[in-house]
Amino acid sequence: IAFAIVEGETADTWSFFLKNLRRRITPQQNLCLISDRHNSISAAFNKPTSGWTEGQCVHVLSVIITIFLNIFEPRCNYYYNIIWENNPKVAAWIDQIPRQQFTLAYDEGRRWGHLTTNLAEAINSVLKKTRNVPISSIVLATYTRCNSFFTEREKQITSMISIGHVYFENATKVLQDAYSKSNTHRVVEFDRNTTRFRVEEMVNPRQIRPAGKSFVRLDERWCDCGKFQKIHLPCSHVLATCKHAHHDFNIYISPYYRLDVSMKVYNNMFGELRHEEYWPPYQGIEIWPHPATKRNAKGRPKSSRIRTEMDIRE
């Protein structure tokens, strides 16, 4: 988690944050930056000095998110053709946005199933009522509240591990659902040495589409349905193949879903803040606010946030 205190949501401040986020916190490749539609974020992202490349940023209209984000390549093309038949202008507008920026089907697994900014917005509950206070108070509240959150989270994961849980609850639920579906699949073996199979769906429980066929390549961690490579968890076709070939399906589950791996996030303590009387004397530059830059205190501050139907009004 990275925080920055800036003057406002401007292109310069977002450029400062994104550049240092890339340089200091997330230098690794193949990351996906999910943000809202604020113009300053787009301006900062598109700067050559931002450190981020095209195809890594996602900020599109929620209507497109609703239609395309949570589907995979075969269904993505199906719905796109429906839009084109009904309104070619809308389809032409969609064509202007690279598909890897707003679909799971073409993001090469960068999202790990996270589709919107809701995960990041959850931190707002930690920082509630810390606005419009002095910066020193904001820093202290951010530090202490995040520390409390991390401490409580560490206790929860430790408790889950102690009673025998291996994976997070959401991952376990996905696997249980997939395992139930796999009982209705029939596996045709193609090449046992390279673990390549064809899986035929005899029944589709959701009845959204007719039962179909998917080819599974376990050596490449690939399934035609797309779920395996997008969320890094075995789908029902992979589980059916593993049962047929007597494979341990756990080796195809990403370690990031394991509780013991996630526990490493919370192993390091924040460290307590000593009383100010014990602080060493400060000899550096003192910064004072300039009176001419003071904002007008009259009236209520206006929010520039772009709200959608996903926002919950307080």
Side-chain angles (χ1 to χ4, degrees):
I1 301 178
F3 297 96
I5 295 178
V6 295
E7 183 180 0
E9 285 199 78
T10 65
D12 289 339
T13 54
W14 269 113
S15 179
F16 160 81
F17 181 76
L18 291 176
K19 181 175 65 176
N20 285 283
L21 179 72
R22 189 63 159 158
R23 182 182 300 172
R24 307 294 182 185
I25 309 297
T26 56
Q28 61 268 42
Q29 298 299 315
N30 295 322
L31 295 179
C32 178
L33 179 66
I34 303 178
S35 71
D36 59 23
R37 308 193 316 272
H38 204 286
N39 291 333
S40 58
I41 300 179
S42 298
F45 175 82
N46 291 323
K47 285 186 177 180
T49 58
S50 69
W52 298 85
T53 59
E54 184 180 359
Q56 295 175 308
C57 188
V58 183
H59 46 90
V60 295
L61 294 176
S62 58
V63 63
I64 301 301
I65 291 176
T66 304
I67 296 174
F68 282 111
L69 261 181
N70 200 24
I71 57 178
F72 303 97
E73 188 169 346
R75 305 303 290 171
C76 180
N77 296 329
Y78 170 77
Y79 285 116
Y80 174 81
N81 291 334
I82 291 179
I83 293 176
W84 179 263
E85 291 174 359
N86 287 272
N87 196 325
K89 291 183 178 180
V90 174
W93 180 83
I94 294 174
D95 290 337
Q96 297 176 6
I97 310 173
R99 290 195 178 183
Q100 66 270 24
Q101 291 189 9
F102 69 99
T103 63
L104 280 176
Y106 298 93
D107 80 328
E108 298 179 359
R110 290 194 181 105
R111 280 190 190 80
W112 290 72
H114 293 292
L115 308 178
T116 64
T117 59
N118 290 354
L119 184 67
E121 296 289 350
I123 203 66
N124 285 341
S125 62
V126 179
L127 302 177
K128 215 168 189 177
K129 299 182 180 178
T130 58
R131 297 176 177 86
N132 300 322
V133 295
I135 288 180
S136 57
S137 299
I138 292 178
V139 172
L140 182 60
T142 302
Y143 189 84
T144 54
R145 292 184 183 185
C146 283
N147 174 63
S148 299
F149 179 82
F150 268 60
T151 303
E152 181 63 28
R153 188 65 174 167
E154 182 184 11
K155 292 179 181 178
Q156 292 178 6
I157 295 180
T158 301
S159 176
M160 293 175 67
I161 293 176
S162 65
I163 60 178
H165 289 283
V166 179
Y167 303 105
F168 277 106
E169 184 178 355
N170 60 341
T172 302
K173 187 176 180 180
V174 171
L175 289 172
Q176 289 175 345
D177 185 40
Y179 192 86
S180 177
K181 294 178 187 175
S182 68
N183 294 326
T184 64
H185 297 345
R186 188 169 74 92
V187 179
V188 178
E189 187 174 316
F190 270 75
D191 188 349
R192 186 69 173 270
N193 294 327
T194 56
T195 60
R196 302 195 175 202
F197 305 87
R198 184 181 69 190
V199 182
E200 299 177 355
E201 299 175 355
M202 310 306 295
V203 178
N204 194 309
R206 295 186 180 179
Q207 297 181 349
I208 298 177
R209 57 180 175 81
K213 302 175 183 178
S214 294
F215 286 90
V216 176
R217 300 194 294 270
L218 291 179
D219 54 336
E220 299 178 10
R221 294 178 179 265
W222 172 275
C223 179
D224 284 352
C225 74
K227 296 180 180 179
F228 186 25
Q229 50 269 34
K230 302 309 175 185
I231 62 176
H232 308 275
L233 281 172
C235 59
S236 61
H237 310 107
V238 172
L239 291 178
T241 299
C242 288
K243 285 191 291 185
H244 176 84
H246 303 290
H247 281 235
D248 181 10
F249 69 87
N250 289 283
I251 64 176
Y252 301 109
I253 300 176
S254 170
Y256 294 116
Y257 287 106
R258 292 211 319 263
L259 292 171
D260 59 333
V261 173
S262 180
M263 189 67 180
K264 297 177 182 179
V265 175
Y266 307 101
N267 278 342
N268 297 322
M269 295 187 298
F270 274 59
E272 68 281 0
L273 294 175
R274 304 183 67 185
H275 193 275
E276 292 182 16
E277 294 181 357
Y278 294 96
W279 293 5
Y282 177 69
Q283 305 294 338
I285 299 174
E286 294 187 10
I287 300 177
W288 295 83
H290 197 288
T293 61
K294 183 179 179 181
R295 295 183 179 179
N296 188 2
K298 294 182 180 180
R300 189 172 181 178
K302 294 183 179 180
S303 174
S304 59
R305 177 180 175 83
I306 302 174
R307 294 187 175 273
T308 67
E309 68 274 7
M310 293 183 292
D311 290 306
I312 300 175
R313 297 182 180 272
E314 296 183 1

